[in-house]
Amino acid sequence: MKASPHASTAGIESIGPLVRLDRVTCRYARGRPVLEDVSLTIRRGTFTGIVGPSGSGKTTVLRLVLGLVSAESGSVIRRPGLRVGYVPQVETINWNFPVTVFETVLMSARNGHRSPWSTSQEKQAVADVLERLGIGDLARRHIRQLSGGQQQRVFIARALFSEPELLLMDEPTSGVDIRTRHEMLHLLSDLNDSGLSILVTTHDLNGLAAHLPHLVCLNKRVMGVGAPREVLTPEVLERTYGAPMEVLEHAGMPLVIEGRHGADTIRQTS
Amino acid sequence: MWQTLAEPFQYGFLRHAIVVCTVAGALCGLLGVFVTLRGMSYIGHGLSHAIFGGAAVCAAVGLNFFVGAGVWGLASGLAVGRVTRRRVIAADAAIGVITTASFAFGIALLGLYTRVKQSIEATVFGSVLGVSTTDMWVIIIVAIATATLIIAFYRPLLFTTFDPEVADVSGVNIARIDALLMLLLTFAILASMKVLGVTLIAAALVIPPVVARLLTNSFKRMLVLSTSIGAFSGLVGMYLSYHLDISSGATIVLVNFALFATTYAFTGARRLARTPDRDRTPIPRNGSES
């Protein structure tokens, strides 16, 4: 994969935090804590990935930032008036719902209009955001009649239509093919370059996380924070995933191999 | 032919029944879109059964049907919505618990007060006989209010139906929208119950939107189509009920089903072909995944 424009953190300004999680512990019902003593700062203009195994609390961090769940202890401080756009996991979308691309994007309009009829300004604004994401000709299509990458773009378009300062995405490359993942990475990089702060969760260590400028390794607690080179290390990954992992260097970027056995196999064949 | 069509108009109560059946079909078709898309198809069935409990109480104590059964149905609807939103109990289970308990209460009352039985039977199966001017005006007012509120809250209703979590974070008050929908549904069931009947009202809520969904991929068009299909079924069902001397609830639902069967036969296979599975291909995970 071609190196991302965000292979390093150089040039990213930290003007002020948009969101700050301070020693947050969170649990659902009366079960075991999903997050324990987690501190995290999301600054303006950053592009951060949260990695960790299933059940590590990645999505809960997004839900805390969105205000959908409350912290049991600690604090979640959002900059007053912060506009947040959210792109849920594609697996949670009802693809049989009778809704077109245009209707989907228009849902997040923040102009207070509630009637079924869209204004000419709204039509133009939807057309503009779809054009910006390269799906300008799909407005009348049903959401199921799109490819995986196009579907993901529709929901990014819906989030962008509310003009957010911070974009949250849950597993943006889950279940998509390699080409779509590549396109998604570059689309998000371009959006970040245009000033949008982005926070994503991902399982995809090599396809997505390694290309991001900033990572948080999470397994109920924060196990590591920093650039991929700093946190995609065997020590941090073993703490995060609870299993040994080998990390090789490929084209100047870390390449994570699942288990030491995998690394041995690669060495023998290369 | 013309004589067959005009015959019911000779009787005042049947003129009322034609209006009530047509509007009841349209109203159920309109609200049914939200009910089916929210995966709460069972709620029409449940709410009507819950209202049966309220209707039995009204008949036993001599209270006005619309007031007593309305309050009862609304309380049941809100209870279902609240239990469902907590997500610990699935919607169908919540409806099953709350509304069947109410229905059982109505049955128990019937056993205790046998004089109630006659006035309740028409509510269970639906009848075009005895539809009063009041019934007609009640359903017209409910239908106008419902259509107005759906237009006024169209976007929040659509957003909360499609994606409640994102609607919530986008500033939509989903609890208020859910309560509004439940309120509209309760009044629609109350107003339609006389002609559709407790046991058959669920079908009038579910079948028109299902037929409409087979015909369109647009939410807005689905609302219009479902309302029209409901109105058509109500009107034709009313004529069949009169001429065949069968309960109106049964004939309306049978017309609905005939429309479904016809539409499915002509469009089912084609629609499936037009909406292929997403071309997502499983990819090998290079990173660690669990």
Side-chain angles (χ1 to χ4, degrees):
Chain A
M1 179 180 284
K2 187 175 132 186
S4 156
H6 285 297
S8 82
T9 55
I12 293 173
E13 294 293 327
S14 298
I15 298 166
L18 299 177
V19 182
R20 189 193 298 273
L21 274 65
D22 188 23
R23 305 198 68 179
V24 167
T25 294
C26 186
R27 77 180 81 218
Y28 293 108
R30 291 181 182 177
R32 296 173 66 178
V34 184
L35 295 174
E36 285 183 81
D37 204 27
V38 168
S39 294
L40 187 64
T41 301
I42 310 297
R43 296 185 188 283
R44 187 194 299 269
T46 52
F47 189 173
T48 305
I50 305 176
V51 297
S54 293
S56 60
K58 301 190 295 292
T59 301
T60 304
V61 170
L62 298 190
R63 293 170 67 83
L64 277 165
V65 174
L66 288 164
L68 287 169
V69 292
S70 305
E72 183 182 271
S73 63
S75 59
V76 180
I77 302 163
R78 278 180 294 271
R79 204 202 63 203
L82 177 69
R83 294 190 306 275
V84 183
Y86 178 46
V87 181
Q89 278 191 52
V90 288
E91 283 78 8
T92 66
I93 305 292
N94 175 6
W95 296 104
N96 285 320
F97 196 96
V99 74
T100 61
V101 170
F102 179 86
E103 289 171 319
T104 304
V105 175
L106 193 62
M107 281 179 198
S108 66
R110 288 186 188 255
N111 55 13
H113 289 184
R114 294 187 302 202
S115 77
W117 300 283
S118 48
T119 63
S120 54
Q121 289 97 327
E122 286 177 327
K123 285 175 187 163
Q124 188 56 51
V126 173
D128 288 346
V129 74
L130 292 178
E131 200 62 49
R132 185 180 172 196
L133 294 178
I135 48 173
D137 54 340
L138 303 176
R140 289 173 177 274
R141 291 265 200 100
H142 181 252
I143 52 169
R144 196 182 172 96
Q145 296 171 323
L146 306 171
S147 69
Q150 289 167 337
Q151 288 175 332
Q152 190 67 269
R153 282 166 192 259
V154 169
F155 286 88
I156 295 173
R158 185 178 70 171
L160 294 182
F161 196 66
S162 62
E163 298 177 351
E165 297 158 86
L166 173 62
L167 179 69
L168 306 183
M169 292 187 76
D170 203 358
E171 300 284 355
T173 57
S174 168
V176 299
D177 58 31
I178 293 168
R179 184 184 158 192
T180 305
R181 185 176 60 187
H182 191 73
E183 288 173 357
M184 189 56 57
L185 179 63
H186 280 268
L187 170 65
L188 294 176
S189 296
D190 290 344
L191 291 171
N192 182 232
D193 285 343
S194 67
L196 183 67
S197 309
I198 301 175
L199 177 63
V200 299
T201 67
T202 184
H203 272 104
D204 192 354
L205 292 174
N206 294 321
L208 183 61
H211 298 263
L212 303 182
H214 191 74
L215 292 179
V216 176
C217 291
L218 188 75
N219 192 349
K220 299 191 192 309
R221 294 172 177 272
V222 174
M223 300 297 179
V225 177
R229 279 177 172 282
E230 295 160 4
V231 295
L232 295 185
T233 62
E235 297 74 29
V236 174
L237 290 171
E238 186 162 355
R239 278 206 308 273
T240 305
Y241 288 89
M245 290 189 188
E246 194 81 16
V247 180
L248 305 177
E249 190 169 306
H250 177 69
M253 297 177 67
L255 179 67
V256 180
I257 310 297
E258 262 187 84
R260 298 191 193 283
H261 176 73
D264 294 342
T265 308
I266 283 193
R267 283 202 191 92
Q268 284 166 15
T269 54
S270 62
Chain B
M1 174 71 179
W2 177 246
Q3 194 180 357
T4 306
L5 288 174
E7 198 178 319
F9 285 97
Q10 294 168 13
Y11 309 101
F13 78 92
L14 281 177
R15 281 200 293 274
H16 296 152
I18 287 170
V19 174
V20 172
C21 287
T22 308
V23 178
L27 187 57
C28 289
L30 178 61
L31 285 170
V33 171
F34 296 98
V35 170
T36 51
L37 292 176
R38 284 170 175 243
M40 295 177 79
S41 298
Y42 188 43
I43 199 165
H45 184 76
L47 265 184
S48 58
H49 281 69
I51 288 171
F52 175 84
V57 172
C58 292
V61 301
L63 197 69
N64 178 279
F65 168 79
F66 288 111
V67 176
V71 170
W72 193 287
L74 193 59
S76 303
L78 291 174
V80 167
R82 194 173 176 82
V83 172
T84 307
R85 192 57 74 185
R86 291 186 67 178
R87 295 180 182 208
V88 179
I89 300 171
D92 58 345
I95 293 163
V97 170
I98 293 163
T99 61
T100 51
S102 180
F103 184 65
F105 185 67
I107 297 288
L109 269 184
L110 280 182
L112 291 172
Y113 300 92
T114 47
R115 63 183 172 83
V116 175
K117 197 170 180 177
Q118 279 188 327
S119 62
I120 291 294
E121 273 181 359
T123 313
V124 175
F125 301 110
S127 170
V128 293
L129 300 171
V131 174
S132 67
T133 312
T134 307
D135 295 331
M136 185 180 74
W137 284 114
V138 165
I139 200 160
I140 288 172
I141 290 165
V142 169
I144 291 171
T146 301
T148 307
L149 286 166
I150 284 178
I151 289 170
F153 290 93
Y154 173 84
R155 290 190 196 179
L157 277 165
L158 168 60
F159 207 171
T160 53
T161 303
F162 178 55
D163 199 342
E165 194 162 270
V166 179
D168 190 11
V169 300
S170 300
V172 177
N173 188 331
I174 54 170
R176 196 173 293 174
I177 294 296
D178 287 354
L180 171 71
L181 194 60
M182 214 50 91
L183 181 81
L184 295 177
L185 196 57
T186 304
F187 280 108
I189 289 172
L190 264 177
S192 310
M193 192 178 272
K194 190 167 262 182
V195 290
L196 288 170
V198 168
T199 50
L200 297 166
I201 206 160
L205 278 165
V206 173
I207 301 176
V210 168
V211 177
R213 181 66 189 92
L214 289 170
L215 295 169
T216 183
N217 272 331
S218 160
F219 183 76
K220 212 178 285 180
R221 261 178 263 143
M222 186 176 169
L223 282 175
V224 174
L225 277 171
S226 182
T227 307
S228 307
I229 291 162
F232 176 79
S233 303
L235 182 65
V236 175
M238 151 62 211
Y239 273 102
L240 290 176
S241 171
Y242 171 75
H243 288 292
L244 301 176
D245 194 20
I246 302 171
S247 76
S248 51
T251 51
I252 290 170
V253 170
L254 286 172
V255 173
N256 268 322
F257 181 74
L259 287 173
F260 167 76
T262 309
T263 309
Y264 190 78
F266 281 99
T267 69
R270 180 165 58 90
R271 180 146 300 283
L272 287 174
R274 275 172 53 185
T275 53
D277 284 338
R278 291 146 59 223
D279 57 348
R280 290 175 175 275
T281 49
I283 56 170
R285 304 278 186 182
N286 294 326
S288 179
E289 188 187 14
S290 48

